[in-house]
Amino acid sequence: QEQAGPLLTRRTVRLEEAEQTVKPILDDVRQNGDRALRHYAERFDGLPESAALRVPETELEAAAEMLAPATREAMNVAIANIREFAVAQLPREYFREFSPGRKLGQIVRPLEAVGCYIPSGRYPLVSTLLMTATLAQAAGVRHIAVASPKPTPEILAAAHILKLTDVYRAGGAQAIAALAYGTETVQRANRIVGPGNIYVAAAKKLLAGEVGIDFIAGPTEILILSGDGDPGVIAADMLAQAEHDVDAMAILITTSATLAAAVQQSIEQQLSTLPTAAVARESIDRNSAVILVPNLETGIRLTNEFAPEHLSLHDPSLLPQIQNAGTVFLGKHSPESAGDYAAGPSHVLPTSGVARLRGGLSAADFVKVIAIQDLSPAGLSALAPAITTMARIEGLEAHARAVEVRSA
């Protein structure tokens, strides 16, 4: 337990150097539009000189036609589940009388344009396209652009299945800049969502305020809190996270020394046959830990302090005590992999402790909730003393007179 603090300390992600690298790129794209975007796409993304930035719709259609039936079915299942949950997440409109003459409510309006950034480096994350664009569609966003440095046929096919036509072969800071500022080809977005490397994170940080963003993503992480369980299952969940990236974190907090030892042994056994072992091994050795605590109360406290991106909670009865997590996988049959692909909630989640502030990306991130106020003469008259008194306390005489003139 005394060693838990250092083991739960995340590696610091320093964006300052990356910010210095990307700022000239952002400025260049803002000033020179497509010409700059193309220059950096050719330089960093390997875009051929003969290729268009915008993927032709015929290419999207051709990729969908070539899709293996099993892959298409998997995508359709995931899309249906994601859309179903997204619709359930949306805030609802209402308008009612709270007191005589005081009608209040809210209307919900979608953002007009959204940009989805889809990584396609070591692991081309077609699932991220489903986990972002489907939410925006459920919210009613009319224009959805997709940026991906090297989109695979599966990413292009998924775009076609989702009826997305604005897909761009561009990545990194240059793609974020194009979505934030707009270019001759790329429509300006109200919000940019989706994970990326340190340069994407730095660009989003610098442009936050110019454009809405989801998170400034850091290395991915899972924390498993379990008093008992199948060590093979727990080890598999830890490795599923570790294989993402050498900076990924996989943490087990347990009250059982027997389980702790068995999980460590199972990790070694499973690594011996894992195709992604080179990445997972480094993640396990550098950033991961098995932490033994005297009781579950201590484990819960450490969990809430860490505020994990993914929390695997094997005992559902502990859920009421969880305060901070990006998403929770409840029970022994809810692997993190299910959330990554097909359960329904988005896998775009807060990392680096940001789960202390908010949960994962949702359909609500793609709408505006606008309050509506409708006062009758009697309703305003009832409020007038409070309004005029408060206005004059603050020295805002015109505010008070704007009420009084209506009853003169």
Side-chain angles (χ1 to χ4, degrees):
Q1 183 184 353
E2 294 178 358
Q3 297 177 341
L7 291 173
L8 287 171
T9 300
R10 296 173 172 91
R11 290 182 176 272
T12 302
V13 178
R14 298 192 179 277
L15 294 179
E16 291 85 356
E17 185 176 341
E19 288 173 22
Q20 293 176 5
T21 299
V22 305
K23 191 175 187 308
I25 298 174
L26 305 183
D27 292 340
D28 196 6
V29 173
R30 178 174 59 83
Q31 294 170 8
N32 298 302
D34 279 352
R35 182 163 61 86
L37 177 60
R38 180 169 198 96
H39 166 74
Y40 294 114
E42 290 178 359
R43 178 180 174 185
F44 297 127
D45 304 327
L47 179 71
E49 291 184 10
S50 58
L53 278 168
R54 185 175 183 270
V55 179
E57 291 183 42
T58 53
E59 189 173 342
L60 301 178
E61 184 177 1
E65 289 176 353
M66 295 295 292
L67 203 60
T71 303
R72 178 182 291 274
E73 176 61 17
M75 288 185 185
N76 286 335
V77 168
I79 291 168
N81 289 347
I82 295 165
R83 180 172 288 119
E84 181 182 37
F85 187 70
V87 169
Q89 287 181 309
L90 287 170
R92 300 294 186 256
E93 294 189 349
Y94 64 87
F95 190 64
R96 61 185 176 85
E97 192 168 54
F98 281 71
S99 61
R102 184 171 63 103
K103 293 181 179 178
L104 307 174
Q106 64 184 31
I107 57 174
V108 180
R109 297 291 184 264
L111 301 180
E112 295 176 5
V114 164
C116 300
Y117 186 86
I118 312 303
S120 51
R122 180 192 292 123
Y123 305 122
L125 300 183
V126 60
S127 56
T128 297
L129 178 55
L130 309 185
M131 294 281 181
T132 53
T134 306
L135 273 63
Q137 289 179 331
V141 177
R142 297 179 64 180
H143 183 267
I144 302 171
V146 178
S148 188
K150 296 177 181 177
T152 61
E154 290 80 11
I155 290 174
L156 300 181
H160 183 75
I161 290 171
L162 289 169
K163 297 181 171 57
L164 304 175
T165 56
D166 289 335
V167 181
Y168 301 96
R169 286 191 174 93
Q174 60 272 17
I176 302 300
L179 292 168
Y181 295 125
T183 71
E184 299 91 327
T185 301
V186 181
Q187 181 174 328
R188 181 174 182 170
N190 301 123
R191 184 181 292 276
I192 301 171
V193 298
N197 62 22
I198 191 171
Y199 299 105
V200 169
K204 289 168 75 174
K205 180 182 177 183
L206 289 174
L207 290 170
E210 181 77 33
V211 65
I213 64 169
D214 46 4
F215 325 107
I216 299 169
T220 189
E221 59 202 28
I222 189 171
L223 188 151
I224 301 168
L225 177 60
S226 181
D228 57 23
D230 184 330
V233 168
I234 294 173
D237 284 348
M238 294 178 72
L239 289 171
Q241 201 64 32
E243 72 175 353
H244 271 291
D245 187 88
V246 295
D247 292 322
M249 295 184 73
I251 305 290
L252 168 64
I253 296 179
T254 182
T255 56
S256 169
T258 301
L259 179 63
V263 167
Q264 290 173 298
Q265 183 178 7
S266 185
I267 286 174
E268 294 301 320
Q269 292 172 344
Q270 292 185 41
L271 274 170
S272 67
T273 60
L274 190 66
T276 53
V279 173
R281 162 61 70 188
E282 189 167 352
S283 168
I284 291 293
D285 290 346
R286 292 175 61 204
N287 312 309
S288 303
V290 175
I291 299 173
L292 191 63
V293 293
N295 50 59
L296 284 174
E297 289 72 20
T298 301
I300 291 165
R301 177 179 59 78
L302 292 174
T303 297
N304 283 324
E305 289 175 0
F306 186 70
E309 175 191 15
H310 306 91
L311 171 60
S312 179
L313 202 62
H314 282 207
D315 182 356
S317 71
L318 300 178
L319 183 61
Q321 300 177 67
I322 298 302
Q323 182 69 25
N324 302 321
T327 189
V328 179
F329 298 93
L330 203 59
K332 300 178 181 180
H333 300 287
S334 305
E336 181 261 344
S337 305
D340 271 354
Y341 294 110
S346 178
H347 71 203
V348 180
L349 299 165
T351 61
S352 305
V354 177
R356 296 185 188 94
L357 308 176
R358 62 158 297 164
L361 189 71
S362 82
D365 288 302
F366 298 95
V367 300
K368 299 165 289 185
V369 178
I370 304 169
I372 307 298
Q373 307 170 54
D374 180 7
L375 301 177
S376 71
L380 178 59
S381 178
L383 291 176
I387 298 169
T388 56
T389 299
M390 292 294 294
R392 287 178 173 129
I393 287 172
E394 294 181 349
L396 298 172
E397 180 62 24
H399 280 63
R401 294 183 184 183
V403 172
E404 292 170 342
V405 73
R406 285 171 162 81
S407 58

